[in-house]
Structure formats: C-alpha cells, structure tokens
Amino acid sequence: MDNERLRQVPSVDAVLAAMREVSSDIPHPAALEAARRAVAELRESVVAGEAAPALEAVAQRAQELADRGRQPSLRRVINASGVILQTNLGRAPLSARAVAAMQEVALGYSNLEYDLEVGVRGSRHDHVRELLHKATGAEDGLVVNNNAAALFMVLQVFARGLEVVVSRGQAVEIGGGFRIPDVLRQSGAKLVEVGTTNRTYARDYAEVCSLETAAILRVHASNFKIVGFATEPSTGELAEVARAANVLLIDDLGSGCLVDTTRYGLVREPTVQESIAKGADLALFSGDKLLGGPQCGVIAGKAELVEELRQHPLARALRVDKLTIAALNATLASYVDGREAEEIPVWRMVGTDLEQIRVRAEAWVEAVGGRGRVVEATSMVGGGSLPGEGVRTWCAAIEVTDADRLAHLLRANDPPIAGRVQDGRLLMDPRTVEPGDDPIVAEGLVHGLSKLGEKAEN
Ligand SMILES: *Cc1c(COP(=O)(O)O)cnc(C)c1O
C-alpha cells in the first residue's frame, strides 16, 4: 500500500530538472540538497496519508528551501524600533564615507604596515594617531578591538598586582555580563571601592590612595542613572586627587561622544575632549556607540602611557584590522571637518526634523489603509549611552489583535523589519529607518497584515 503510493513521489533527479527549468542560478550542491530535502519531506507526508502534489509544486518547495539555505546568517535588518544604538541590531550604522574608505582598502592592497615615504615596514597604529589627536585633543591614541578590551588592557598593563579605586556608584555591570569588578579581577588589579552607591566625594578617593594604588578609575554608569540625592566628583577634581597621590586617572567614558549633546536637545553627555582637557591620563571609549563608527575601543591620552601600551604584547593580541582603521579614520574625519550632523547616521537620526518623521509615519499608516494611526512616542538613544534618554518622535501605531504575531511576521520579511510592541500595538518609528527604505517597510506592513488575515482595507 505504502509502496504503491510512494511511487507517486518524484525522484530527486526529476525535481532537480524541474527546478532548473524555473531558475538556473542555484549552484548544484545547494540545489541537490534542497531537492533531497523536498523529496524526503514529501515521502513522509505521503506515508502519513496525504496525496502527492504535482512535480512543479515539489520543485517550488525545493526552490524555497534552497533560497532559504543560501541566505547568509548575518543579514541586514531594517530597524523601525526607534532605538538608535540597538546593540542587538549591530549598534551604530556606518557613514557612507566610512563604508567607501573600507571598500577602498578592502578590494586591494594598502599601506597598512608600510611606510610609503621611506619604503620600510611601518606600524598600523600610526594611521589613527593624527586624527585621534585632532578629534579629541589627546596627545596620542591606540585602537583595540572594543572598549572592553581597552579597559582590560589598560588595567593589565598599569594596575596588575596593584589597587584601583572605584566609586561604589560606578562598580556597574554594563551589559552582556561585563562587570567592572570582574574585569578588574581578571586583569589582576585589586578593586578598592569608595563612597556609597549614591554619594562619593573627592576626599573619599584621596583617603584610600597609597603606594599600592595604581589608578583611580572612573566608569560611565552607561545603562542606568542615579537620580536625586547623588554626588560624584568631577573629572577635574579627580585629576587633582590623582596628581597629588601620584596615581593615574583612567576615565572609561563608554560612548566616545565628541559633540555637545545639548545641541540636539539631549542631556549633557561627557565628551572625550572634556575628559582629556580636565586631566584624565587615559580616556577609553567605544567606536560604535555615540561616536557612530566601527566596533573598536579607543585609548586616548598621555603620549608616554599610550606608547607603553603600544609596545605591550597585548597590543598585538587586541589589534584591529585594516577595515576598522579605515572606517574609524573616515568617521573621525567627519568630526574634524565639522560635518558629523550630516554625515554620521547616529547624529543624522538624532537630529531628524520631527515634521519629516510625522509625514513618513503618516505614509505608513496610509499604506495599511487605516489599520493604524500616527502617535507621539519616544525614540531611544540606546547602546548604554544617555540612559533613559529619548527624543520625541512620531510612530505609525499598527492596531491589530495580535501585535506580537505581526512583529514576528515582519521579522520574517526579506529584509527583516524590527518594530516595537508597546501597549498591545506595533509601533514603527521612522527615525531609525533610512528614508530610502520607507517603501520596504510599507510593503512589509501590508504583506504582514494580509498574512495575519486582517487584510489592509484599501
Ligand atoms: C559599552 C561600555 C563598555 C564596553 O564597550 P564595548 O565597546 O562594547 O566593548 C565599557 N565601559 C562602558 C562604560 C561602556 O558603556
């Protein structure tokens, strides 16, 4: 009985031939694997009692499997969540200038470690020093894989076996299990906590500094904020204490902000320039947070300290590749040219005109034929920068009975679209979407709604 029915299942060769009639651009190994899987699926369903479909339908299923199997694991996603530095979605999008610089050195050879003047071996670290100096005012700088690596390296090189003083309010977990006390321990430094969770004074630091102390470490609290009865000494005050005690002041800024955030209507975020000017010996920051560049960690500060880091074996272990150097330099150049507001996506998004956002949200609502409406909401900066800090925005709020299911359908779109479910509605924020992608979002919404069985009422 089973054998009789299984005879209706086409052979893998027949499915392959049928696939090739529709499209010939799938490489043979992928097509073969997909045809085998489609036939295996079909055998199972036939054995379970279902009728065998026509050959074309089996070939179509194999085609689908092949297409899905050939999709890269890491894909572009349209971010309509309104979180600008969304760590899960790759943090900062790069500027066109940074991408062009990466392409230029990626497609061929470069002078990564070659001194073109003299024709001898050069250092990859030399490419970033000048721009880092211009952008931050620091005497010198070194770039490593990320800011976590930067902090680990600095502690390991300057504080191993010695004490590092940290305020109780700053012994934080940044996220992804990155905890300041653990990083200190791993690097071989001894944590000395001072003050209380909410209030720490300069004298608290001064009292514990001894010959065993290597550094005072200031840590940006990043993803949380203590409000109300709270005090932390300024960088200038800490620099004075550090100078008097003959210890280093290390400032882990987290974000690497180079601009005055109040110009964008945000609260003040400490800048790298201020940290350096107020006397931090080393300022550490990420490349892909508010800086708006590639993933990396920058160590900027005193020339003799940076030189010691550059000579250390960890500099080799944590070094960045040519693409990162190209993208970071292009990003820094935007700031040096005073063009970050136009060129760097993070700042372009923060600064997008509210009226333009409303018009775009309206177009999405119109596309879904009144299944939603335009509502006022808040875009978040995210990425552990400016905790809780938002920018007023307009969203298309899509009103369906199952917003989670619609969000799921949008994630299955090609390209995937990420929205934000809030109060049982799906909020789509144009601020974090490149305007050129607006039609893709509109189509994705219409398609998702029709799949939900709640057809857009056009
Ligand atoms: C984000 C952050 C880090 C880690 O930076 P990565 O570049 O993600 O490794 C370290 N310190 C602070 C204060 C941060 O905000």
Side-chain angles (χ1 to χ4, degrees), residues 91 146-149 174 178 219-220 222 252-255 286 288-289 296 383-384:
R91 283 199 189 152
N146 52 29
N147 193 27
I174 310 295
F178 186 78
V219 183
H220 189 292
S222 295
D252 177 6
L253 289 160
S255 235
S286 287
D288 54 352
K289 291 184 180 172
C296 62

Side-chain angles (χ1 to χ4, degrees), residues 197-209:
T197 306
N198 59 328
R199 308 201 98 178
T200 303
Y201 304 96
R203 63 168 185 272
D204 294 328
Y205 288 91
E207 277 165 13
V208 298
C209 282

Side-chain angles (χ1 to χ4, degrees), residues 99-434:
V99 172
M102 287 168 87
Q103 173 151 344
E104 173 91 10
V105 298
L107 284 172
Y109 298 97
S110 63
N111 63 336
L112 180 65
E113 294 188 347
Y114 190 61
D115 184 332
L116 292 171
E117 192 73 38
V118 197
V120 295
R121 191 184 168 167
S123 163
R124 71 179 59 212
H125 300 303
D126 287 344
H127 298 289
V128 294
R129 298 169 71 179
E130 182 70 20
L131 273 166
L132 271 178
H133 168 69
K134 281 188 182 156
T136 68
E139 289 173 13
D140 201 353
L142 174 68
V143 182
V144 293
N145 247 306
N146 52 29
N147 193 27
L151 181 58
F152 180 79
M153 180 179 186
V154 164
L155 292 172
Q156 164 97 16
V157 174
F158 296 115
R160 194 152 65 132
L162 295 167
E163 292 174 358
V164 172
V165 187
V166 181
S167 163
R168 285 212 162 76
Q170 297 176 1
V172 295
E173 173 174 324
I174 310 295
F178 186 78
R179 296 176 153 188
I180 293 299
D182 294 343
V183 177
L184 269 145
R185 195 171 322 114
Q186 288 293 330
S187 66
K190 282 177 244 164
L191 169 65
V192 177
E193 288 187 59
V194 290
T196 61
T197 306
N198 59 328
R199 308 201 98 178
T200 303
Y201 304 96
R203 63 168 185 272
D204 294 328
Y205 288 91
E207 277 165 13
V208 298
C209 282
S210 71
L211 289 175
E212 294 299 301
T213 311
I216 290 173
L217 171 64
R218 197 164 81 132
V219 183
H220 189 292
S222 295
N223 42 17
F224 88 113
K225 179 157 77 173
I226 298 175
V227 291
F229 192 60
T231 311
E232 291 283 358
S234 69
T235 311
E237 290 173 286
L238 284 183
E240 258 177 51
V241 174
R243 210 65 70 238
N246 197 25
V247 303
L248 297 178
L249 175 59
I250 300 165
D251 194 2
D252 177 6
L253 289 160
S255 235
C257 184
L258 295 178
V259 302
D260 176 0
T261 44
T262 61
R263 281 207 326 248
Y264 291 87
L266 299 167
V267 294
R268 272 184 57 74
E269 170 77 9
T271 65
V272 183
Q273 300 93 309
E274 275 162 16
S275 172
I276 297 291
K278 294 277 166 63
D281 293 297
L282 293 171
L284 322 180
F285 54 95
S286 287
D288 54 352
K289 291 184 180 172
L290 284 179
L291 192 75
Q295 178 196 302
C296 62
V298 179
I299 306 169
K302 297 275 158 63
E304 76 272 13
L305 299 174
V306 175
E307 182 58 27
E308 194 173 337
L309 291 167
R310 241 192 318 262
Q311 300 303 330
H312 193 276
L314 269 178
R316 174 66 170 77
L318 302 174
R319 77 181 187 184
V320 289
D321 74 326
K322 59 190 174 184
L323 301 183
T324 304
I325 293 171
L328 177 64
N329 276 349
T331 305
L332 291 172
S334 288
Y335 288 96
V336 171
D337 294 347
R339 299 186 58 87
E340 72 282 351
E342 305 90 66
E343 291 183 355
I344 300 199
V346 170
W347 295 114
R348 220 166 46 215
M349 286 175 187
V350 172
T352 306
D353 175 57
L354 203 52
E355 188 52 26
Q356 278 176 27
I357 292 182
R358 196 174 57 78
V359 169
R360 292 167 61 198
E362 267 167 8
W364 289 344
V365 167
E366 217 162 280
V368 298
R371 293 300 325 228
R373 55 205 181 83
V374 175
V375 299
E376 219 179 327
T378 308
S379 313
M380 301 306 292
V381 176
S385 320
L386 297 157
E389 191 62 16
V391 200
R392 260 186 68 208
T393 196
W394 294 101
C395 286
I398 314 297
E399 289 161 344
V400 289
T401 43
D402 192 349
D404 287 317
R405 169 102 185 106
L406 180 57
H408 180 89
L409 287 166
L410 287 174
R411 290 196 302 273
N413 193 69
D414 186 17
I417 303 167
R420 170 159 57 111
V421 175
Q422 196 175 302
D423 304 325
R425 301 176 303 187
L426 181 67
L427 294 189
M428 305 294 286
D429 189 340
R431 187 183 295 277
T432 46
V433 176
E434 273 300 316

